Amino acid sequence: MPVRAGKHRALLGALALRAGRVVSIGELVAFLWGEDPPARTRGTLQTYVMRLRQLLGDPSLIRTTSDGYRLVVPPERVDVHRFTATASRARQAARSGRLTEAADLYAEALGLWRGPALVDVPSDALRDDEVPRLAERLLVAQEERIDVELALGNHERVVPVLRALTADHPLCERFWAQLMIALYRGSRQAEALEAFRLVDRVLDEQLGVEPGTALRELHQAILVGDPSLAAPAGRVAPDVPDQLPPEVPGFVGRAEPVERISRLVAPDGARTAVPIVVVSGVAGVGKTALAVHVAHRLRDRFPDGRLYVDLRGYAAGPPTPVVEVLTRFLRALGVPPEQIPVDPDEQSTLFRSLLAGRRMLLVLDNAAAPDQVRPLLPGAASCPVLVTSRDDLRGLIAVDGARRVGLDVLEPAESLAVLGRSGPAAEELARRCGHLPLALAVAAASVGGGSVARYLERLADRDPLHLAHDALPPAARRLFGLLGVVPGPDFTPEAAASVADVPVDVAASLLDRLAEARLVRSVGGRYSFHDSPARFAASVEGDVAAARLRLLEFYVRAVDHCADLLYPDLMRLPSAGVDPTGVNPTGAPPTGVDPVGVDTAARARAWLDAERANLAAAIRSAAEHGPAAVSWRLADGLRGYLWIGKHVTEWLLTAQYGMDAAHEQRDVAAEAAMHQNLGTLHWRVGDFAKSIAHYTRAVELHRVTGDLASEAGVRGNLGLVRLESGDLAAARNDLETCLALKREAGGPRSGETGVLTGLGVLAVETGELAEAVDLLGEALAVSVEHGLRGSEITALTLLGVAAQSMGEPQRALSRLADAVRLATEAGFREAAARALEVTASVRLDLGEHAEALDLADRALGELREGGDQRITTNVLVVMASANRGLGSLRAADGQFQQALTKARRIGYPPGEARALVGLAGVRRLLGEPAEARAPAEQAVTLTARLGFRLLERAARTELAAVHRALGDDLAAAAETDHAAHLPP
């Protein structure tokens, strides 16, 4: 129902703009009546609230509190909050280089504006409070969107938009600059120069000023045809996700359901709701084959991609978790792994926002219940959903508007086509197969080139699956029955060999025999079951308990092998002499197959990538059905791989399963390892508080077991987290304790490198540079001696930082050059980015601003695939500093603000302090000392509180300059004196 009364609209506007927060009675009175409230203010306001509740249709939406009212709605239901959140996601996508995604998100955000803010709300006070802020946010989003479109090469498209924006906002120089660039890139140089003359005249007439430095420099660049203004060279189109499995060989018939589903999925006319089509039917009737066939047939209608998942709703093992599905989809849509939320609701919201404005098809196979489907539904009508299920999913039909297509068995002629035969015997075989495609395919494979009549004699009243199974050689029958223990979606010959306790080549031959009989599917050297054969396999008698343990043992052994190749120096649960499944009481080394060809770090990572879903399923299976030790052994072994790949969602799931199993079994050492695992996870995603809590608990548990080596390792990580969070005193205590424990435990010196570098960083931050050089030099020597390439690169980079701080730029550049070379050779992109960023900082100290900008850009390129956000923050600070040195103050201001926002979001105090100091300096140089004072004071407070002495010196020096610019020489002298007593 529309809210017609002006006062009611003002009341609703005030509450909606602060959705979820209490708006005091005093504020509401001011918004509704200004300086002339009625005599019975509170009573009248209560009446308005009561009437608004009635209009909204749900009285609980407006809650009364002790001092006001609160609108209880999710922020995403309020346009202004949706706009802010969507624009923020667009900004993040743009900064990560995902420009197409950013353009779509900006379009979605700006599409929420339907005119001037609060234009129909009769409240001067509310408009005075809110409209300027909202208008500024709109302008910023429009500027940023144009920047993205220009980076995508869409200069012709944005010219009309910029014409309108410069007309509406003639004093906004940024829009004029964008218009000039767009015109120039469209070979309209004369029009671009005319645009400059127009803005020059407007600024002179209205403000009596000339265009700013950036606009004048752009004008000069256009005059000389500066190559840097050229449009981006043919950007490579982002990969279009296409997860559809290949079509089922020999698909025949189904003309009527194919046409019907196609019309429902991709109607010709416009639509406002998401088309959802449920294809339902009995097992083996061909639902998956039909859905995949239709999806391939319609692929040209969905140029932005096709997403597919088997939800395993009817599988013998657990269904595919929704959080795992969303993670897969988000990765396919280009979201860097570390930016995927761990909360399923946040994942679902991000997924819907990414699909906005796209034309994509989703195929959700084997759904058992509506709840498996709902979190995966897009919000865009241009992204239909095709679901297959044995059930009608009536809840999806009733609540979500799904359309059902019931799938019956094949027509007799279609059945004969599947069999590839004709005649009475073939007709009888089709009848006995129930005209079910799966049974027909199995029967056709069994008949081969033989007699259908003789096959019918053997079949009698049996299922073709059973007859195909009985016709197998004994070894193949045994393997088929044992494969029912596989908990994951597929399996390899190595896994099958482990299950059956046979050589890999024998297992591969037997799997090919099963595939020929259509009892398993084969795709790219991997094998899987259809649901019906899987249930049949599970019913076949055999020593499945021992087979399951052999498979789990294979997974544990393979993960340990990959871990030794990928991260040999990472502390893990002990494995020597330990039976991972708990079935080998002698403690003898386990026997069995190993993953074939996994002999390098690259191949180890590729194997883990391919087996990730199976390993996650094995961890869950072991946690729920035993042996529990497997769950935490696998979770612990995968920790380094999940860190490297930033597979945050799987990491959280596997670590939690391991934690639950260890806690239930009261295995203190395993529980400590899982707390350490979760501590590392939360450190990786920047949640320092949770990381510290888990690490602290791990330390307590290791003390219970008396495991000094493990306690030392956790204390080292705890110290590094506290160092990054700015708690320097606690960090020093943890790191020094760690070093003492390691030396007391008598372990190899290779385990000390991380602690030594941590103490070196701490010494740099506190200005103890001589000590830093000693510690980092020791870390470098140990790293080289033990062949620890990653630690060697880290030590070289930090020695470069220390040399820079000591005023020795050439020594710093030498160390950093070695670090860049080694990181590039090893393919360590984040390490290379960090070394390049520090090199750029040294070039800045030498006054080589253009070279610094180039180096920073190279560093950003190394991080575009989702690098460490702390390094990204530092790179932004360096880029901003370089632009400041080049006179591009507005660009520098924007980059310092980006760095500040990022540093605060991830909780990175050193980056926050550097950004604040830089922001203050730029604003002072822009002639805005009043605006510079706040960030300078914030930087001083932050660095003094946390003990960052070098940064504090820089912050106080900048604050002194700001005071001088403001004419307060006394305050400037005090800050200068304070800075002089800090380390240089």
Side-chain angles (χ1 to χ4, degrees):
M1 181 180 294
V3 181
R4 303 189 186 282
K7 287 289 191 286
H8 293 150
R9 290 202 303 275
L11 175 60
L12 178 59
L15 294 171
L17 285 165
R18 295 156 177 77
R21 293 184 287 150
V22 175
V23 186
S24 70
I25 290 173
E27 288 180 289
L28 291 173
V29 168
F31 290 147
L32 266 63
W33 293 286
E35 297 180 358
D36 189 24
R40 294 185 62 257
T41 304
R42 188 178 289 267
T44 305
L45 179 60
Q46 289 172 344
T47 302
Y48 284 152
V49 170
M50 179 185 69
R51 178 58 180 153
L52 184 56
R53 283 171 171 157
Q54 294 170 348
L55 290 170
L56 295 176
D58 183 354
S60 67
L61 290 177
I62 301 178
R63 301 275 177 85
T64 303
T65 68
S66 59
D67 59 346
Y69 297 92
R70 178 164 57 96
L71 182 65
V72 186
V73 296
E76 61 266 21
R77 291 185 59 186
V78 181
D79 280 355
V80 66
H81 301 303
R82 286 177 59 199
F83 164 75
T84 301
T86 307
S88 177
R89 290 198 299 274
R91 199 167 294 120
Q92 292 172 7
R95 291 171 185 167
S96 300
R98 306 190 314 275
L99 299 181
T100 302
E101 175 190 333
D104 291 340
L105 287 170
Y106 276 124
E108 179 186 346
L110 294 170
L112 296 169
W113 285 80
R114 301 176 183 86
L118 304 178
V119 68
D120 61 344
V121 176
S123 170
D124 292 340
L126 189 59
R127 286 199 299 270
D128 290 346
D129 252 26
E130 298 291 342
V131 169
R133 178 176 61 86
L134 295 175
E136 180 63 26
R137 287 186 185 178
L138 174 61
L139 285 177
V140 170
Q142 288 169 325
E143 290 178 1
E144 292 172 345
R145 181 195 183 184
I146 299 295
D147 282 338
V148 168
E149 295 288 356
L150 289 172
L152 286 168
N154 298 330
H155 39 271
E156 294 287 0
R157 181 192 304 174
V158 299
V159 167
V161 178
L162 286 165
R163 296 281 194 200
L165 288 170
T166 51
D168 292 340
H169 308 282
L171 302 181
C172 180
E173 294 188 37
R174 183 67 189 135
F175 287 142
W176 286 103
Q178 291 171 326
L179 176 60
M180 291 165 63
I181 291 172
L183 290 168
Y184 178 81
R185 289 180 178 176
S187 300
R188 299 156 72 177
Q189 182 179 11
E191 292 180 65
L193 296 172
E194 177 58 33
F196 178 80
R197 286 191 288 271
L198 181 56
V199 66
D200 186 17
R201 186 167 62 250
V202 169
L203 292 171
D204 181 60
E205 291 174 353
Q206 297 195 29
L207 300 178
V209 299
E210 63 178 5
T213 303
L215 209 56
R216 295 197 308 274
E217 289 178 350
L218 175 59
H219 175 245
Q220 183 63 31
I222 291 173
L223 283 171
V224 300
D226 191 328
S228 67
L229 296 180
R235 287 182 55 83
V236 178
D239 291 338
V240 173
D242 191 354
Q243 300 177 330
L244 294 177
E247 286 218 53
V248 175
F251 182 89
V252 298
R254 301 295 197 190
E256 191 280 328
V258 165
E259 289 300 324
R260 185 179 175 203
I261 295 168
S262 297
R263 287 194 303 271
L264 291 172
V265 168
D268 293 329
R271 54 193 186 273
T272 56
V274 178
I276 307 170
V277 180
V278 177
V279 179
S280 63
V282 298
V285 79
K287 301 180 294 296
T288 297
L290 176 61
V292 170
H293 175 74
V294 171
H296 279 288
R297 184 173 184 255
L298 298 175
R299 61 188 306 117
D300 290 342
R301 300 285 295 272
F302 302 100
D304 294 320
R306 283 73 51 192
L307 300 177
Y308 171 89
V309 66
D310 181 358
L311 296 174
R312 293 170 53 85
Y314 304 96
T320 308
V322 168
V323 67
E324 182 180 317
V325 178
L326 284 167
T327 298
R328 289 187 209 166
F329 284 175
L330 290 171
R331 280 204 195 98
L333 292 170
V335 180
E338 80 282 0
Q339 293 184 18
I340 295 176
V342 294
D343 179 76
D345 290 337
E346 292 181 15
Q347 286 184 342
S348 189
T349 299
L350 177 58
F351 177 60
R352 286 193 296 273
S353 72
L354 292 178
L355 292 187
R358 300 192 189 199
R359 287 184 292 162
M360 300 189 75
L361 175 64
L362 280 69
V363 180
L364 309 180
D365 199 13
N366 287 318
D371 288 346
Q372 277 190 289
V373 173
R374 285 198 179 102
L376 307 175
L377 294 178
S382 57
C383 298
V385 182
L386 184 54
V387 186
T388 71
S389 178
R390 292 183 199 170
D391 298 302
D392 293 344
L393 301 184
R394 293 179 181 175
L396 209 61
I397 295 169
V399 176
D400 302 282
R403 303 288 296 276
R404 175 182 172 272
V405 175
L407 192 60
D408 206 344
V409 297
L410 293 172
E411 295 293 330
E414 295 172 336
S415 297
L416 293 178
V418 174
L419 288 172
R421 298 298 185 93
S422 60
E427 292 171 2
E428 174 62 16
L429 177 56
R431 186 189 65 77
R432 291 202 200 176
C433 288
H435 297 286
L436 291 169
L438 177 61
L440 289 163
V442 172
S446 296
V447 172
S451 166
V452 175
R454 282 197 294 272
Y455 178 78
L456 283 171
E457 291 175 4
R458 296 198 309 273
L459 182 62
D461 294 330
R462 289 186 292 174
D463 186 303
L465 279 174
H466 294 197
L467 183 58
H469 171 263
D470 292 346
L472 293 169
R477 286 202 305 272
R478 175 175 175 270
L479 176 61
F480 178 76
L482 296 180
L483 286 172
V485 305
V486 175
D490 62 11
F491 42 89
T492 60
E494 295 96 321
S498 299
V499 164
D501 197 18
V502 298
V504 174
D505 59 341
V506 173
S509 177
L510 295 175
L511 286 172
D512 288 340
R513 182 70 181 83
L514 294 176
E516 291 171 3
R518 296 296 185 93
L519 295 177
V520 300
R521 292 176 293 207
S522 173
V523 178
R526 303 185 72 83
Y527 299 82
S528 62
F529 275 125
H530 187 281
D531 288 344
S532 297
R535 287 195 308 278
F536 178 40
S539 69
V540 176
E541 293 185 2
D543 191 2
V544 293
R548 178 173 177 273
L549 291 174
R550 285 194 297 270
L551 176 65
L552 294 176
E553 180 185 287
F554 163 69
Y555 282 144
V556 171
R557 191 169 57 254
V559 167
D560 282 344
H561 175 66
C562 291
D564 288 338
L565 290 170
L566 277 170
Y567 29 89
D569 52 340
L570 181 68
M571 182 181 68
R572 308 198 309 274
L573 282 168
S575 57
V578 176
D579 170 33
T581 60
V583 296
N584 181 7
T586 66
T591 59
V593 301
D594 292 314
V596 174
V598 180
D599 52 6
T600 65
R603 289 176 177 173
R605 184 168 180 180
W607 188 90
L608 291 170
D609 284 338
E611 294 291 336
R612 189 167 62 238
N614 289 321
L615 295 171
I619 290 170
R620 177 175 178 176
S621 176
E624 294 177 346
H625 307 294
V630 169
S631 65
W632 61 70
R633 281 291 308 280
L634 285 174
D636 181 69
L638 288 171
R639 172 166 45 99
Y641 160 72
L642 297 172
W643 168 291
I644 293 169
K646 308 178 185 72
H647 303 295
V648 174
T649 305
E650 294 94 331
W651 193 350
L652 182 62
L653 287 173
T654 55
Q656 196 59 58
Y657 277 123
M659 169 72 79
D660 293 343
H663 185 72
E664 184 175 338
Q665 295 294 315
R666 298 181 180 177
D667 190 309
V668 178
E671 192 173 347
M674 292 302 98
H675 274 294
Q676 178 181 351
N677 196 345
L678 287 165
T680 306
L681 164 63
H682 290 292
W683 179 16
R684 188 72 174 92
V685 300
D687 191 339
F688 294 144
K690 286 185 179 178
S691 176
I692 289 170
H694 280 294
Y695 277 145
T696 301
R697 180 59 179 153
V699 167
E700 294 168 353
L701 292 171
H702 283 312
R703 284 178 181 166
V704 171
T705 62
D707 187 346
L708 287 181
S710 296
E711 180 187 348
V714 178
R715 287 297 289 263
N717 286 348
L718 189 55
L720 295 175
V721 175
R722 284 181 164 146
L723 175 60
E724 290 185 14
S725 67
D727 190 352
L728 301 191
R732 183 184 297 278
N733 178 61
D734 283 322
L735 290 170
E736 290 178 345
T737 301
C738 168
L739 195 57
L741 287 171
K742 282 180 176 292
R743 289 173 175 173
E744 181 181 350
R749 291 218 66 199
S750 58
E752 297 180 7
T753 56
V755 194
L756 291 168
T757 54
L759 286 167
V761 172
L762 183 62
V764 171
E765 296 288 1
T766 55
E768 300 161 300
L769 299 179
E771 181 183 353
V773 170
D774 289 342
L775 289 163
L776 295 170
E778 187 178 357
L780 177 62
V782 174
S783 300
V784 171
E785 179 185 351
H786 291 272
L788 305 177
R789 183 55 58 86
S791 298
E792 181 183 355
I793 295 166
T794 300
L796 284 167
T797 303
L798 291 171
L799 282 166
V801 173
Q804 178 192 17
S805 301
M806 298 174 78
E808 300 175 354
Q810 296 309 318
R811 177 176 292 184
L813 290 173
S814 174
R815 294 291 197 182
L816 292 165
D818 288 341
V820 172
R821 176 179 54 80
L822 292 174
T824 303
E825 290 173 356
F828 296 166
R829 300 192 67 179
E830 285 188 359
R834 170 67 171 141
L836 286 167
E837 173 258 313
V838 180
T839 307
S841 179
V842 176
R843 293 295 181 189
L844 280 179
D845 292 346
L846 294 170
E848 299 169 359
H849 301 104
E851 292 83 350
L853 195 58
D854 181 62
L855 287 162
D857 188 61
R858 283 177 56 194
L860 212 54
E862 297 288 347
L863 299 166
R864 285 206 170 94
E865 297 301 321
D868 190 300
Q869 295 301 293
R870 293 160 298 182
I871 302 175
T872 304
T873 302
N874 293 337
V875 173
L876 285 170
V877 168
V878 171
M879 294 186 86
S881 302
N883 275 316
R884 179 180 60 192
L886 293 168
S888 301
L889 298 182
R890 287 296 179 192
D893 185 273
Q895 287 167 335
F896 277 129
Q897 289 188 71
Q898 290 177 31
L900 180 60
T901 300
K902 188 179 290 290
R904 285 175 169 169
R905 179 174 58 80
I906 64 175
Y908 180 42
E912 180 181 354
R914 294 185 187 101
L916 285 167
V917 173
L919 199 58
V922 165
R923 291 181 175 175
R924 174 174 56 80
L925 293 173
L926 283 167
E928 302 169 353
E931 287 73 21
R933 181 173 178 174
E937 289 177 338
Q938 291 171 27
V940 168
T941 301
L942 178 65
T943 53
R945 175 171 57 84
L946 297 177
F948 294 148
R949 299 301 174 222
L950 290 178
L951 284 175
E952 183 185 354
R953 189 173 193 272
R956 290 191 182 278
T957 301
E958 180 55 49
L959 182 56
V962 170
H963 282 312
R964 276 193 294 274
L966 289 168
D968 191 344
D969 292 337
L970 189 61
E975 291 298 339
T976 300
D977 182 65
H978 203 145
H981 289 84
L982 291 168

